[in-house]
């Protein structure tokens, strides 16, 4: 019989898990246990603190519904989503547009819209046109790529946060043309606070963080033979451009609105141009850190 102490307990757990037949699962769980044990030793974790942690994770689970994913939010505010995205980008076979967060507000089945359509039901005055090309590493067009977009409405809310989450708004699925061109009408999105009314928001508040995300539009772009791109474009003049609560901004994804854009495909409207570059597909698979909340906690 083994006498376990705060060090030998780690080896005992690893020994029991050593028969795991899936080698990747074994590698992930071994490293997870080693780091978790090292963390507990480093902070000299007390029983009361561990119970607090268990209560917190339980609350995160309870806050997760078909229209709200509190665990994705937790991953985001801890920088894990941004870290996993950065690791994913490193495995691309060639240069491509950087990944950014999918976030908790992506939805499957957004409306299919024709090029140039307005994605916001009540656009109001501040319309802009987002346009550009979907290209490969050499700048060649990728014809007919799918371009899914979503953003907040004029009040800084996603449709999933609005009163009637059944209604889709401020999102749409487009298709680039034969030359890789895409364009759509929208409104300038507002920067917004991540949901602060749940356990993750409470944590962020306790850490004296502002909880804001700078103004942005999300994109999920795909084409046969290419690695799917999950990214977002961030507006340069937002006050929180350098302090995103979920670490999604990088300089290559920052854009500005040109109020008098001669190349804008809808003349007279301010334009934002951005070309998305896709890498060819590789064996490493797809890159979504997240999913439609309804696919994780199904509605019943
Ligand atoms: C978003 O951009 O939609 C988002 C990302 C992470 C946390 C909250 C919102
Ligand atoms: Fe967002």
């Amino acid at each position: 019989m083994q006498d376990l102490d705060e060090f030998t307990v780690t080896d005992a757990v690893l020994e029991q898990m050593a028969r795991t037949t899936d080698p990747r699962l074994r590698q992930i769980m071994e490293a997870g246990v080693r780091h978790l044990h090292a963390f507990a030793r480093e902070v000299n974790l007390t029983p009361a603190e561990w119970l607090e942690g268990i209560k917190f994770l339980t609350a995160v689970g309870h806050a997760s519904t078909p229209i709200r994913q509190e665990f994705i939010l937790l991953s985001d505010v801890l920088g894990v989503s941004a870290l996993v995205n950065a690791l994913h980008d490193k495995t691309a076979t060639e240069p491509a547009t950087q990944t950014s967060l999918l976030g908790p507000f992506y939805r499957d089945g957004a409306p299919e819209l024709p090029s140039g359509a307005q994605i916001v039901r009540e656009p109001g005055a501040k319309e802009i046109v987002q346009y550009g090309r979907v290209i490969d590493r050499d700048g060649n067009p990728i014809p007919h790529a799918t371009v899914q977009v979503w953003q907040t409405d004029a009040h800084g809310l996603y449709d999933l946060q609005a009163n009637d989450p059944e209604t889709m708004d401020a999102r749409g699925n487009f298709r680039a043309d034969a030359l890789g061109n895409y364009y759509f009408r929208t409104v300038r999105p507002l920067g917004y606070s991540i949901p602060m009314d749940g356990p993750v928001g409470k944590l962020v508040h306790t850490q004296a963080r502002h909880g804001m995300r700078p103004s942005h539009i999300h994109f999920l772009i795909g084409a046969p033979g290419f690695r799917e791109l999950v990214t977002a474009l961030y507006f340069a003049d937002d006050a929180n451009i350098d302090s995103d609560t979920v670490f999604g901004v990088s300089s290559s994804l920052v854009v500005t609105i040109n109020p008098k854009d001669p190349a804008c495909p809808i003349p007279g409207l301010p334009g934002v141009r951005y070309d998305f570059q896709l890498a060819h597909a590789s064996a490493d698979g797809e890159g979504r850190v997240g999913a439609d909340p309804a696919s994780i906690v199904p509605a019943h």
Side-chain angles (χ1 to χ4, degrees):
M1 172 159 308
Q2 234 176 340
D3 281 327
L4 298 181
D5 62 22
E6 77 269 33
F7 295 103
T8 54
V9 67
T10 306
D11 294 330
V13 176
L14 297 182
E15 202 180 303
Q16 275 203 17
M17 299 193 317
R19 283 184 300 277
T20 308
T21 46
D22 179 334
R24 181 64 176 156
L25 177 64
R26 177 177 166 182
Q27 182 190 21
I28 288 171
M29 287 306 299
E30 277 186 6
V33 164
R34 272 192 283 105
H35 287 273
L36 188 60
H37 285 212
F39 149 76
R41 279 190 291 266
E42 181 182 325
V43 300
N44 209 0
L45 200 64
T46 68
E49 288 161 347
W50 186 229
L51 192 59
E52 237 359 85
I54 287 170
K55 281 187 194 160
F56 172 75
L57 291 176
T58 305
V60 171
H62 283 153
S64 298
T65 70
I67 58 167
R68 175 168 181 156
Q69 233 318 314
E70 197 77 356
F71 271 110
I72 294 180
L73 191 60
L74 179 59
S75 160
D76 294 341
V77 304
L78 296 181
V80 181
S81 305
L83 168 61
V84 174
N85 281 337
L87 294 171
H88 179 65
D89 280 353
K90 268 179 59 180
T91 66
T93 51
E94 52 198 1
T97 299
Q98 259 182 287
T99 297
S100 188
L101 300 178
L102 188 82
F105 298 115
Y106 171 74
R107 298 175 86 170
D108 293 320
E112 306 277 334
L113 297 174
S115 286
Q118 169 60 258
I119 61 168
V120 177
R121 280 167 189 267
E122 292 173 23
K126 289 191 181 151
E127 281 193 279
I128 57 171
V129 179
Q130 172 69 50
Y131 72 100
R133 295 198 311 152
V134 184
I135 53 177
D136 70 12
R137 67 157 296 172
D138 300 316
N140 300 313
I142 301 177
H144 310 302
T146 54
V147 180
Q148 300 186 51
V149 303
W150 66 105
Q151 65 171 76
T152 53
D153 64 13
H155 310 289
L157 289 177
Y158 283 92
D159 54 4
L160 280 170
Q161 301 171 295
N163 291 338
D164 175 15
E166 295 302 312
T167 307
M168 293 228 190
D169 192 13
R171 59 182 79 229
N173 295 349
F174 294 88
R175 208 168 258 286
D177 69 13
L179 298 174
N181 296 302
Y182 74 91
Y183 75 109
F184 61 92
R185 267 167 114 117
T186 182
V187 297
R188 193 209 143 113
L190 279 188
Y192 58 87
S193 167
I194 64 157
M196 293 294 279
D197 58 343
V200 173
K202 206 166 144 197
L203 175 69
V204 166
H205 180 72
T206 308
Q207 293 170 330
R209 297 161 70 182
H210 57 53
M212 297 297 289
R213 291 221 70 202
S215 165
H216 60 275
I217 304 177
H218 294 270
F219 293 83
L220 200 163
I221 301 180
F226 290 88
R227 175 183 268 209
E228 182 181 72
L229 173 67
V230 179
T231 195
L233 298 180
Y234 296 89
F235 290 84
D237 55 356
D238 191 291
N240 298 307
I241 194 79
D242 289 321
S243 59
D244 183 5
T245 303
V246 295
F247 313 100
V249 183
S250 31
S251 57
S252 69
L253 300 174
V254 174
V255 292
T256 50
I257 299 174
N258 184 347
K260 293 199 167 68
D261 183 352
C264 182
I266 305 181
L269 282 182
V272 179
R273 183 189 169 127
Y274 196 88
D275 291 345
F276 294 97
Q277 202 163 34
L278 304 192
H280 282 90
S282 62
D284 301 294
E286 299 300 338
R288 293 188 196 180
V289 182
D292 184 329
S295 70
I296 300 174
V297 180
H300 39 244

